Structures are given as structure tokens and as C-alpha cells.
Amino acid sequence: MKIKKGFSMRNIAGSNIVVPVGKAGDIFNGMITLNESGAFFWECLKEETTPSEVVKKVCDEYDIDEQTVKNDVEKFINMLRENNLLDE
């Protein structure tokens, strides 16, 4: 899975904002604000990957227990699915 083409994360005034670009604006009319964790997950999902690979990258980068990371990644992926932002 990975983020669909046509969506970009921008840092605007210290906030990480996901916006549609090009034709993606026809199917998604809005924006999503991401916290630091969400921005890291987003970067991981810019390339084809699996949820377990994202969990590993987060655990390698931060000192967080694996179960907490799994829960957070699952919630993030579900949010992306709900907004039709994933290619699976």
C-alpha cells in the first residue's frame, strides 16, 4: 500500500497539511492536518510498504513500545482509507 498520487504533505506555518494537487482535487475537497507522528507515517507510506514495515521504521526511529505503534499506525491507515487516500 502507499499514498495515492495527487496528494502532498506541505509544512505551512509549522503545521503538516495534506492537500490534493491536480486532478485529486476533484475527488477530495479538503485538507488534513497531521501531527509529528502522522507526518512520519505519511512519509513512510509515500513508497509501497506494509503496515508492519511502517511499525518497524517508527520503532527504529523512536523509543516507543511496539504495541502502541501498531495501534497508532492502524488508526492512521484507517483514516487514510476512510478518505480514499491509499492505493492498496
Side-chain angles (χ1 to χ4, degrees), residues 5-65:
K5 288 184 180 183
F7 293 93
S8 182
M9 181 177 60
R10 304 272 193 244
N11 189 290
I12 302 170
S15 294
N16 298 302
I17 308 292
V18 173
V19 294
V21 292
K23 293 186 186 260
D26 295 341
I27 60 169
F28 185 83
N29 188 11
M31 64 181 175
I32 297 172
T33 303
L34 301 177
N35 62 17
E36 182 181 336
S37 298
F40 189 88
F41 300 162
W42 181 272
E43 288 299 320
C44 292
L45 289 162
K46 285 171 60 176
E47 301 295 326
E48 188 67 36
T49 192
T50 65
S52 60
E53 290 171 332
V54 175
V55 169
K56 181 175 180 351
K57 288 177 185 177
V58 174
C59 288
D60 289 348
E61 184 73 20
Y62 299 99
D63 184 25
I64 305 171
D65 71 278

